[in-house]
């Protein structure tokens, strides 16, 4: 497939599919050699076998954050630079869609906070405002993020970031530990992904979680 346009553009999509449907233990269905070019990088999947016994590893290589944040229309902060990672993916696990995934910077990253956003924090909490000033512009030399996504759509990100703010003191190291939780099904609604796909995934994964209890 040469090109697909949805929320963002995907190009040069390739995949191999072989096996049987409905899939059984003796006659599995195997998706392999999946590759997609997007956001100035690539996403690939080596192998997904149905029935699934092992995690299918989704690999992310040099995805450009500035393109991603533009698409997400985030206004309070912006980031640029490239990240890579791996996400162990499950389709029939009784708890997880992604378990112990990770992201890390594959180039220097920059983080920029909106001035009005920082000023509003400073007005409400002076000590927090001083800390946020160091993050107003941050050049990141190391970042590591752990990613877990439950089959109910609960996403948990835990990030460790190290960098410097040359506007404050380029010699002083800034260390940031960050945790974020969000339901991706609600996020998809806000981003206006195809409602039928979102509703099907939410219902199917919720039913799977109920069956496992």
């Amino acid at each position: 497939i040469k090109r697909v346009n949805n929320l963002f553009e995907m190009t040069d999509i390739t995949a191999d599919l072989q096996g049987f449907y409905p899939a059984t233990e003796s006659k599995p269905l195997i998706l392999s050699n999946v590759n997609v070019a997007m956001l100035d990088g690539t996403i690939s999947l080596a192998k997904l076998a149905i029935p699934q016994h092992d995690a299918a590893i989704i690999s992310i290589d040099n995805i450009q954050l500035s393109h991603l944040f533009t698409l997400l229309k985030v206004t309070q902060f912006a980031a640029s630079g490239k990240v890579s990672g791996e996400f162990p993916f499950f389709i029939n696990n009784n708890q997880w869609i992604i378990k112990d995934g990770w992201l890390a910077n594959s180039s220097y990253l920059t983080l920029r906070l909106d001035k009005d956003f920082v000023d509003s924090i400073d007005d409400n909490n002076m000590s927090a405002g001083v800390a946020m000033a160091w993050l107003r512009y941050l050049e990141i030399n190391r970042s590591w993020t752990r990613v877990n996504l439950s089959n109910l759509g609960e996403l948990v990100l835990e990030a460790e970031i190290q960098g410097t703010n040359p506007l404050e003191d380029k010699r002083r190291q800034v260390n940031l530990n960050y945790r974020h939780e969000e339901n991706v099904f609600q996020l998809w609604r806000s981003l206006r992904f195809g409602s039928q796909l979102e509703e099907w995934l939410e219902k199917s994964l919720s039913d799977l979680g109920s069956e496992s209890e």
Side-chain angles (χ1 to χ4, degrees):
I1 301 173
K2 184 63 178 177
R3 177 175 286 104
V4 173
N5 283 307
N6 195 350
L7 179 66
F8 43 78
E9 183 180 74
M10 297 177 286
T11 62
D12 302 321
I13 304 168
T14 61
D16 295 334
L17 182 66
Q18 60 183 357
F20 303 85
Y21 185 85
T24 65
E25 291 291 346
S26 60
K27 295 181 177 181
L29 182 65
I30 300 175
L31 177 65
S32 61
N33 299 321
V34 178
N35 291 279
V36 181
M38 55 186 287
L39 302 175
D40 275 359
T42 58
I43 295 179
S44 60
L45 171 68
K47 180 181 178 181
L48 169 62
I50 302 173
Q52 185 181 25
H53 298 291
D54 301 310
I57 306 300
I58 299 174
S59 299
I60 292 179
D61 185 41
N62 288 323
I63 294 295
Q64 176 57 256
L65 289 179
S66 62
H67 296 337
L68 178 62
F69 277 75
T70 298
L71 290 169
L72 295 178
K73 298 181 179 179
V74 178
T75 59
Q76 294 178 330
F77 59 95
S80 62
K82 294 188 174 184
V83 296
S84 300
E86 291 185 346
F87 298 94
F89 172 72
F90 299 92
I91 61 171
N92 58 358
N93 188 277
N94 61 6
Q95 186 176 1
W96 301 107
I97 299 175
I98 294 172
K99 175 62 175 173
D100 295 331
W102 62 270
L103 275 175
N105 60 305
S106 47
S107 69
Y108 275 95
L109 308 180
T110 59
L111 173 68
R112 297 174 298 280
L113 300 185
D114 178 72
K115 181 179 182 302
D116 293 338
F117 174 58
V118 175
D119 291 343
S120 66
I121 294 176
D122 195 9
D123 291 341
N124 295 325
N125 187 322
M126 183 172 296
S127 60
V130 172
M132 293 295 288
W134 284 93
L135 303 178
R136 187 188 297 270
Y137 179 81
L138 192 64
E139 296 180 348
I140 300 169
N141 52 56
R142 181 185 184 277
S143 69
W144 181 269
T145 303
R146 288 171 291 276
V147 182
N148 286 288
L149 176 62
S150 78
N151 59 11
L152 298 179
E154 296 298 330
L155 174 69
V156 178
L157 302 177
E158 297 176 296
E160 301 172 9
I161 297 173
Q162 297 176 358
T164 59
N165 183 335
L167 303 179
E168 297 286 339
D169 185 347
K170 65 180 180 180
R171 295 170 299 178
R172 183 173 177 177
Q173 186 81 12
V174 177
N175 298 311
L176 174 67
N177 294 311
Y178 173 74
R179 179 184 174 90
H180 180 77
E181 297 185 24
E182 186 159 6
N183 188 286
V184 295
F185 297 140
Q186 295 176 1
L187 177 63
W188 285 357
R189 290 192 189 97
S190 68
L191 295 176
R192 297 182 181 179
F193 276 80
S195 58
Q196 292 181 346
L197 173 62
E198 181 270 327
E199 290 172 1
W200 178 83
L201 282 171
E202 184 173 6
K203 182 179 185 304
S204 299
L205 294 170
S206 296
D207 291 345
L208 179 60
S210 299
E211 292 172 1
S212 65
E213 294 178 355

